[in-house]
């Protein structure tokens, strides 16, 4: 039995950039921000720049600090 995937939109991404980069839109309440996103199909988290959170009105200081460990090093978010 085969499965069929269908999409409402199709994006061509720049194969010269590292990773898959697609246009994205983040929403928080009534606010939204457009940006370019890297797609990680196995990711458990969505990480974005502080400036995007500020534009959305997200109070970052009230959130939980998480340390991410990567092959290139660690970072806090």
């Amino acid at each position: 039995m085969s499965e069929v995937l269908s999409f409402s939109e199709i994006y061509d991404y720049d194969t010269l950039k590292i990773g898959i980069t697609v246009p994205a839109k983040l929403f928080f309440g009534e606010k939204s921000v457009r940006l370019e996103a890297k797609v990680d199909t196995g990711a458990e988290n969505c990480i974005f720049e502080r400036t995007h959170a500020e534009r959305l009105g997200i109070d970052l200081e009230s959130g939980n600090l998480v340390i991410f460990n990567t092959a290139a090093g660690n970072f806090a978010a």
Side-chain angles (χ1 to χ4, degrees), residues 8-73:
S8 60
E9 295 185 45
I10 296 175
Y11 295 103
D12 292 322
Y13 61 92
D14 187 346
T15 58
L16 299 178
K17 291 183 179 179
I18 296 173
I20 300 171
T21 305
V22 296
K25 191 172 187 180
L26 296 178
F27 293 90
F28 185 71
E30 297 295 317
K31 296 182 180 180
S32 66
V33 63
R34 291 186 181 276
L35 54 103
E36 284 191 334
K38 295 288 188 188
V39 176
D40 179 349
T41 58
E44 293 181 14
N45 297 282
C46 175
I47 301 168
F48 49 89
E49 293 178 17
R50 179 182 197 97
T51 55
H52 299 312
E54 290 169 349
R55 288 173 47 201
L56 290 170
I58 298 173
D59 179 11
L60 295 177
E61 304 309 320
S62 67
N64 297 325
L65 179 68
V66 177
I67 305 298
F68 291 92
N69 302 305
T70 73

